[in-house]
Amino acid sequence: MSTNDADTDWRPALAEGIRVETVGQELILLNRQAERVHQLDPVGARIVAACDGKTTIAEIILQLSTEFDVGVDTLRKDVIELLKMMQELQLIR
């Protein structure tokens, strides 16, 4: 995945076998197959919550821009960067 506008049509979803736990305001992703644990802050947790396989990245960015009062351009970069990293870690598909 690159960071161009075509990426905003992608509908990310958690990969099979990823377990999600909420601890306070943070989200813990457990990847038993890779024997790894990943911790996300509240913004990262909200991004992951929106990864339902139905919502496009463009829709996620729009939703989050109103929730967190952040500019769409800044948010686009941050969302795509996080999702790219999560895809490399095989946490989302």
Side-chain angles (χ1 to χ4, degrees):
M1 181 171 84
S2 64
T3 57
N4 62 36
D5 289 335
D7 294 331
T8 59
D9 291 333
W10 180 37
R11 299 171 192 268
L14 284 176
E16 299 258 343
I18 302 300
R19 186 169 166 199
V20 178
E21 297 286 334
T22 303
V23 178
Q25 293 185 341
E26 296 181 340
L27 194 72
I28 307 297
L29 300 175
L30 305 167
N31 184 341
R32 289 189 177 155
Q33 184 178 7
E35 298 180 350
R36 292 189 176 219
V37 176
H38 305 276
Q39 183 175 348
L40 298 173
D41 65 15
V43 176
R46 183 61 190 93
I47 293 168
V48 169
C51 292
D52 58 8
K54 300 174 187 172
T55 308
T56 66
I57 292 177
E59 292 167 332
I60 292 170
I61 292 165
L62 186 59
Q63 289 171 5
L64 295 177
S65 70
T66 58
E67 288 179 35
F68 293 102
D69 194 30
V70 176
V72 172
D73 291 334
T74 301
L75 197 54
R76 178 182 294 113
K77 178 182 173 276
D78 293 344
V79 167
I80 290 173
E81 184 178 301
L82 176 65
L83 293 176
K84 183 177 180 180
M85 180 186 68
M86 290 180 64
Q87 187 178 41
E88 290 170 2
L89 294 169
Q90 299 178 340
L91 297 171
I92 58 172
R93 54 177 171 82

